[in-house]
Amino acid sequence: MSETRPAGTPPATAARRLHELDVLRGFAVCGIMVVNAWQHTRAHLPSPDRDAVDWGVENLLQGRFYPIFSFLFGLSFVLFLRSAAGRSRRPRAVLLRRLAVLACFGALHRLVNPDEVLLPYAAFGAAVLLPASFLPRAAVAVLGTAATAWAVNEGGGLILVPGLFLLGAALMRYAPPERLLPPAFAASAVLAVALTVLWFRTAADPALFHRGTYPAAGLATAAACCTGLPLLLLTRARRPLLAALAPLGRMALTNYLLSTVAILAALPLLLAVPTRAGVLALSAAVLAAQIVLSRLWLRRFRYGPAEWLWRCLTWLERVPNRRVMSQTSTAPSP
């Protein structure tokens, strides 16, 4: 339990997989920024007309990114528990404190964003993931599959989160080999396209409509992203993806909170634009700024501001954050 990687995994492979998690998390930050900006704008329009951006976000983006975050949250839960076991005789108590701090972040965030997810994540983590840490991995996988299938059948939404937490935790404990990525990506991509087309064809037909089609399409798309991005990291796209998305992912909490500030500050301008093109422009500008600022911050510090505070309150001590640069290299370790 003191290892931060599965037994038998070489350090270089473990480090590469952590980079992959940062990229996936950063990718999810990008998508959630667009969806949240669109949802805030639509919610404040008195009688919104629909345009191409509305159609695209609602049918192709919404419901595709928070499953990635939920899955990674369950996966990171196992990573943190392993790490905490090397520092504390009561790692689950430390983990429960970590969830309590996250709940405080969420409660404060909810004052300006009632639909935020941090508070539910903390509650589900304590109610679902903590008990699951006592179960064998096979039981966690079965429970996660059953809970996710039930939530899809019920129409998805927030009730998907517990099952995805469990699936992420189970996958981390199984640590499947990388050779499974290509077939998993192919299957999930085909399923994502098929379910999305099925949604288009049946949404307006009461006889064929099923409320589970939409969340199923979102989950399949999220699965394709979670398997496709690691494959891209094995190509020449690795360096630009790491440069752009990994800093966003490493400071995901900070960037998520700051995106709400940016959206609310720009809301009068977004409402003044007759179409939702302003949503895309704002998202692009905010994400570009966050990439630059995250890279600059992480050159000097190990954690983002919110991540550092979260860590300090979790361990009830001041955690060193400033990087000590080596004389041979000015680049921070990932």
Side-chain angles (χ1 to χ4, degrees):
M1 290 292 289
S2 62
E3 293 289 323
T4 56
R5 61 182 187 272
T9 302
T13 301
R16 188 173 77 250
R17 289 180 178 176
L18 291 177
H19 296 333
E20 292 171 356
L21 298 184
D22 289 335
V23 168
L24 281 171
R25 200 174 285 113
F27 177 75
V29 167
C30 294
I32 287 175
M33 172 67 202
V34 177
V35 173
N36 283 353
W38 174 77
Q39 289 177 338
H40 276 282
T41 304
R42 292 281 302 179
H44 287 84
L45 290 172
S47 56
D49 296 325
R50 301 186 64 80
D51 60 16
V53 174
D54 292 321
W55 184 92
V57 174
E58 186 171 27
N59 291 287
L60 301 178
L61 299 182
Q62 188 173 235
R64 270 71 174 169
F65 297 100
Y66 81 87
I68 299 176
F69 256 137
S70 302
F71 181 80
L72 293 178
F73 190 92
L75 193 151
S76 298
F77 182 96
V78 176
L79 280 174
F80 184 85
L81 192 58
R82 289 173 177 170
S83 177
R87 295 183 55 182
S88 172
R89 299 178 63 180
R90 302 179 62 191
R92 289 182 177 85
V94 177
L95 187 53
L96 190 59
R97 188 161 60 239
R98 180 174 174 84
L99 292 172
V101 175
L102 183 65
C104 293
F105 275 118
L108 292 174
H109 191 213
R110 189 155 286 214
L111 296 176
V112 295
N113 183 9
D115 295 324
E116 71 90 36
V117 298
L118 300 180
L119 185 57
Y121 270 33
F124 284 137
V128 175
L129 282 175
L130 200 60
S133 67
F134 293 96
L135 299 177
R137 61 185 185 179
V140 177
V142 170
L143 288 173
T145 302
T148 303
W150 170 81
V152 167
N153 187 66
E154 293 298 313
L158 200 60
I159 58 175
L160 279 168
V161 171
L164 292 172
F165 277 6
L166 293 172
L167 289 178
L171 186 74
M172 187 63 210
R173 292 170 68 178
Y174 274 103
E178 289 183 350
R179 66 175 181 272
L180 296 181
L181 278 176
F185 169 69
S188 57
V190 170
L191 190 60
V193 172
L195 287 170
T196 302
V197 171
L198 181 63
W199 168 255
F200 294 155
R201 290 176 176 264
T202 62
D205 189 340
L208 300 175
F209 173 80
H210 188 276
R211 59 186 176 181
T213 306
Y214 186 81
L219 286 181
T221 305
C225 294
C226 286
T227 51
L229 274 174
L231 288 175
L232 277 178
L233 289 174
L234 299 176
T235 70
R236 292 182 179 180
R238 177 178 178 81
R239 291 181 66 87
L241 285 174
L242 284 175
L245 296 181
L248 278 180
R250 290 175 61 191
M251 291 178 51
L253 178 59
T254 297
N255 288 321
Y256 172 65
L257 296 174
L258 289 178
S259 67
T260 297
V261 175
I263 293 169
L264 295 179
L267 197 56
L269 294 176
L270 295 177
L271 296 176
V273 177
T275 69
R276 247 61 69 213
V279 168
L280 301 182
L282 173 70
S283 299
V286 170
L287 289 170
Q290 287 183 336
I291 289 172
V292 173
L293 293 175
S294 295
R295 285 176 60 83
L296 292 174
W297 181 273
L298 291 172
R299 287 179 183 176
R300 293 179 174 269
F301 301 98
R302 300 167 63 196
Y303 311 106
E307 288 78 9
W308 175 76
L309 180 59
W310 190 12
R311 199 171 186 88
C312 290
L313 294 175
T314 294
W315 291 105
L316 298 179
E317 64 183 29
R318 184 180 178 87
V319 176
N321 195 20
R322 185 174 292 275
R323 288 187 178 277
V324 178
M325 309 303 292
S326 68
Q327 296 180 354
T328 59
S329 173
T330 58
S333 59

